[in-house]
Amino acid sequence: MKNFKNQVVWITGASSGIGEALTYAFAEQGAKLILSARREDALQAVAKKCEKATEVLILPLDLSKADTLKDKVTEALAHFGQIDLLINNGGISQRSLAKDTSLDVYRKLMEVNYFGTIALTQALLPSMIERKSGHLAVVSSIAGKIGTPLRTGYSGSKFAVNGYFEALRIETMRDNLKVSIICPGFINTNVSVNALTADGSQQGKSDENIREGMSAEECARQILEGLQEKKMEILVGGEMEISAVALRFHNPAQLNEVLADLLETYKMV
């Protein structure tokens, strides 16, 4: 059942990883797509593989430049007239100990993951409220539900995202808007390769648990299924990550021991 046929779906971070996989999944359903990321050439390459999409608009943007995003929303609405589903997927991760990490790294993580995400959402929100229709989704992380070592800034930004969208869901429920928070665990993408280190440089290598994680395609399939069902929260990942979310509430001390052991293993690699 192609629930998104002819629906206008806007995906940020669409040039790679989960965003790219989601793009292909929605294209298969015959959606009208808006693809956003920083690199237009990468978006063009993805768009060429979306033959089944009803229409594709390439709209490059930079989430670290929040003051430019209102104009991007104006452009998107001018083209399609409405947005049915916004998937805030763009973001950046981190791999560094708190004691070593520059404050500038924390600022960049918040600018991209939090301020960029909410700036785009805020700019689009009035049109959805006016129509009394729309679906807002954000790709957060299991690290946005569990404070995770080597990701203090990343976890902090994702916790902030979760709080914003949980509150937004309540504010807009009488306007008939739907809000979904998507929390992936270990997904086999370049997220750890591109992760910021203590000085702001990229890590440049993939973590083992990321390499062995769920495929981006399976992740996208589960996300699309959850969005079709208008789920408020969509947890995606292996048994370990999903179980950890429950463990945080039932036995947080045990979870902390498990995460501390994982940190020691990471240090030895």
Side-chain angles (χ1 to χ4, degrees):
M1 185 175 179
K2 296 190 175 182
N3 294 20
F4 295 99
K5 185 175 178 60
N6 292 320
Q7 295 283 294
V8 181
V9 180
W10 190 352
I11 304 171
T12 68
S15 61
S16 63
I18 294 173
E20 180 180 1
L22 281 170
T23 296
Y24 300 144
F26 280 99
E28 282 292 317
Q29 293 223 345
K32 299 176 182 179
L33 297 172
I34 304 174
L35 306 184
S36 293
R38 287 177 300 168
R39 292 177 47 221
E40 185 171 359
D41 58 338
L43 292 172
Q44 292 282 4
V46 170
K48 288 179 180 178
K49 300 178 184 178
C50 296
E51 297 91 349
K52 293 185 180 181
T54 302
E55 186 177 352
V56 180
L57 171 66
I58 293 174
L59 191 59
L61 58 77
D62 187 342
L63 289 172
S64 69
K65 299 176 180 178
D67 58 347
T68 68
L69 299 179
K70 188 173 182 179
D71 288 342
K72 297 296 181 179
V73 169
T74 299
E75 190 174 343
L77 290 173
H79 186 91
F80 282 116
Q82 67 186 54
I83 308 299
D84 297 297
L85 169 61
L86 169 64
I87 303 179
N88 289 290
N89 169 72
I92 191 167
S93 192
Q94 172 205 5
R95 297 295 184 274
S96 58
L97 293 169
K99 67 181 181 65
D100 302 325
T101 305
S102 163
L103 187 60
D104 288 340
V105 171
Y106 287 116
R107 291 187 186 280
K108 184 169 184 178
L109 288 161
M110 288 299 293
E111 284 293 341
V112 174
N113 295 348
Y114 181 69
F115 288 110
T117 293
I118 69 168
L120 189 64
T121 301
Q122 292 277 126
L124 181 59
L125 196 55
S127 70
M128 287 188 168
I129 291 174
E130 183 179 358
R131 291 176 55 230
K132 300 291 184 183
S133 178
H135 193 168
L136 296 162
V138 61
V139 178
S140 178
S141 173
I142 294 292
K145 299 185 76 65
I146 299 170
T148 309
L150 297 169
R151 300 162 177 81
T152 48
Y154 180 69
S155 278
S157 68
K158 294 300 187 177
F159 268 80
V161 160
N162 287 0
Y164 171 86
F165 280 93
E166 284 185 7
L168 181 65
R169 179 187 297 127
I170 299 167
E171 289 186 8
T172 58
M173 63 186 298
R174 303 293 188 218
D175 296 304
N176 198 39
L177 270 58
K178 305 300 180 184
V179 176
S180 298
I181 299 173
I182 303 159
C183 295
F186 298 133
I187 310 299
N188 188 0
T189 68
N190 283 331
V191 63
S192 54
V193 175
N194 298 325
L196 301 181
T197 59
D199 63 1
S201 60
Q202 291 186 345
Q203 178 173 242
K205 63 179 182 179
S206 181
D207 300 341
E208 182 179 358
N209 50 23
I210 295 294
R211 291 195 304 271
E212 296 179 356
M214 178 185 290
S215 71
E217 292 74 22
E218 174 59 19
C219 177
R221 186 193 69 77
Q222 292 189 27
I223 291 172
L224 190 145
E225 185 177 275
L227 292 174
Q228 284 176 323
E229 297 174 9
K230 303 292 194 298
K231 286 186 176 180
M232 291 189 293
E233 184 172 85
I234 304 168
L235 300 180
V236 185
E239 183 179 352
M240 180 178 71
E241 304 103 274
I242 304 303
S243 298
V245 175
L247 190 61
R248 178 178 182 269
F249 293 98
H250 298 300
N251 194 337
Q254 182 183 350
L255 176 61
N256 288 347
E257 289 293 334
V258 171
L259 292 173
D261 288 342
L262 286 175
L263 175 60
E264 291 305 314
T265 301
Y266 188 92
K267 288 178 180 178
M268 292 186 290
V269 175

